[in-house]
Amino acid sequence: MTVTTAPPPAPSHRKGRTTGKGKDKDRTQAPDPVAELAAAHDLTLSGARPSLPRYIAQLWGRRHFVTAYATARMHAQYSQASLGQVWHLMTPLLNAAVYYFIFGVVMHAQKAVPDYIAFLITGVFVWDFIGSCFNASTRAVQANLGLVRALHFPRASLPLSTVVQLFQQLMITMGALVILLLIYGQTPDLSWLLAAPTLVLMAVFCAGCAMFMARIGAKSPDISQLMPFILRTWMYGSGVMWSIDAMLKSDHLPTWVSMALKLNPAAVFIDLMRFALIDSYKASQLPPHVWLVALGWALLAGIGGFVFFWKAEEEYGRG
């Protein structure tokens, strides 16, 4: 008698093979040996964006590099010129001379402004710093791609070094500005001390804007070609060569235009510097709550520009 038995049922799956949802589940739960090895040895992704507090700490650790790099660039800027570093002073003075001839003599703007020469050179010196920060920062990353790709450091060091460089130049020109104001009859007063907080707020504002423009310039290099036209328009609306207060009293402009002219950040910092240094520039010529406005612009640009730049930290120098 022969007994037959049925073969054992085939297994529903074999070891190492999964199907359907079980396959996805196994893949999700499977440990990654490379990730475990990197974590065990405290390795991180190259070029990854650090957290904001860690980024601030890294940037603070590079503060000596920022200062040294800015100083070296300032000394190298006119190294090939015969007059050398004198051009740091000559450039705003020549601009002031041109604007005085066109606006003061030809267009008679000096008739509406007491102490017009002091008024003009103060505006030109302050604007030269603000406009230069915006213009130079658009190329801060693109002009240093070799450095960005070769070394690991907080990329915000580049636009900040640009602002530090221009601020160093501003300190030189401010010394010349004080001498010129004394020559043209201005009297030293306690109000001159207000120039210090004005410079600090202006520097914070420009640093934030420089980081904002550096990120845009890194993504769209063509913006550097448009900046001269944008800055020229902004300069004419900032009261560098003419008095916004006198113009608003004589012309009937829409309310929003008057408000935009008064709250224009460049005009606010120029007004504060004129109020500090020029005897005939009175508090009545300043916008309402001008110090709060200046502080607001500095905080908005400084914090906003820094965070905006940091968010793209891992993208600079790639592509």
Side-chain angles (χ1 to χ4, degrees):
M1 177 174 161
T2 304
V3 179
T4 60
T5 58
S12 59
H13 62 276
R14 295 182 180 178
K15 185 177 181 180
R17 296 181 60 187
T18 56
T19 58
K21 294 182 179 179
K23 182 178 179 180
D24 295 337
K25 183 177 181 181
D26 291 346
R27 286 183 177 177
T28 302
Q29 294 178 348
D32 185 351
V34 177
E36 290 181 344
L37 183 63
H41 294 276
D42 197 24
L43 300 179
T44 58
L45 181 65
S46 177
R49 184 184 70 195
S51 64
L52 189 57
R54 182 174 177 82
Y55 190 70
I56 295 174
Q58 290 177 354
L59 191 60
W60 175 252
R62 302 298 193 282
R63 62 190 183 278
H64 300 298
F65 162 74
V66 172
T67 305
Y69 188 51
T71 304
R73 290 176 57 184
M74 184 183 72
H75 289 303
Q77 184 174 1
Y78 295 111
S79 60
Q80 302 300 319
S82 300
L83 295 179
Q85 304 304 315
V86 177
W87 282 108
H88 291 310
L89 177 61
M90 291 296 297
T91 300
L93 285 176
L94 290 174
N95 284 333
V98 172
Y99 296 145
Y100 176 76
F101 175 74
I102 295 175
F103 292 91
V105 178
V106 177
M107 301 183 67
H108 306 291
Q110 60 181 334
K111 293 183 178 180
V113 181
D115 298 319
Y116 182 73
I117 294 180
F119 175 94
L120 177 63
I121 58 177
T122 303
V124 169
F125 279 43
V126 174
W127 169 257
D128 185 66
F129 171 69
I130 296 175
S132 296
C133 285
F134 272 78
N135 192 38
S137 61
T138 58
R139 302 183 297 273
V141 176
Q142 286 297 113
N144 294 279
L145 281 180
L147 192 63
V148 170
R149 291 170 177 169
L151 301 174
H152 178 68
F153 63 96
R155 309 313 189 200
S157 302
L158 297 175
L160 288 179
S161 68
T162 298
V163 176
V164 172
Q165 172 194 349
L166 294 171
F167 192 78
Q168 290 174 339
Q169 296 176 15
L170 177 63
M171 291 298 96
I172 297 174
T173 58
M174 285 299 295
L177 175 62
V178 169
I179 295 174
L180 290 172
L181 291 176
L182 293 174
I183 292 173
Y184 286 103
Q186 303 305 307
T187 305
D189 192 75
L190 288 177
S191 64
W192 283 35
L193 298 177
L194 294 176
T198 301
L199 288 171
V200 171
L201 293 175
M202 184 170 61
V204 174
F205 169 78
C206 288
C209 291
M211 287 183 283
F212 184 88
M213 296 306 302
R215 176 176 172 178
I216 294 178
K219 291 294 183 182
S220 304
D222 290 342
I223 191 67
S224 62
Q225 305 302 321
L226 294 175
M227 285 308 296
F229 304 99
I230 297 173
L231 291 174
R232 192 175 301 122
T233 304
W234 189 15
M235 179 185 67
Y236 291 143
S238 300
V240 176
M241 296 82 64
W242 50 278
S243 171
I244 294 178
D245 183 67
M247 188 271 293
L248 291 178
K249 289 179 180 179
S250 59
D251 294 339
H252 300 285
L253 296 175
T255 304
W256 69 270
V257 175
S258 300
M259 188 63 64
L261 290 172
K262 289 181 179 180
L263 300 182
N264 171 3
V268 167
F269 292 119
I270 291 172
D271 282 342
L272 285 175
M273 193 62 70
R274 285 169 173 162
F275 173 69
L277 300 178
I278 301 176
D279 299 340
S280 59
Y281 205 89
K282 304 301 181 182
S284 60
Q285 298 173 258
L286 297 173
H289 312 293
V290 64
W291 285 105
L292 289 178
V293 173
L295 178 62
W297 277 120
L299 293 178
L300 178 63
I303 298 174
F306 184 79
V307 173
F308 181 74
F309 186 90
W310 162 75
K311 282 185 173 294
E313 176 72 11
E314 57 193 359
E315 301 174 11
Y316 301 122
R318 298 187 177 182

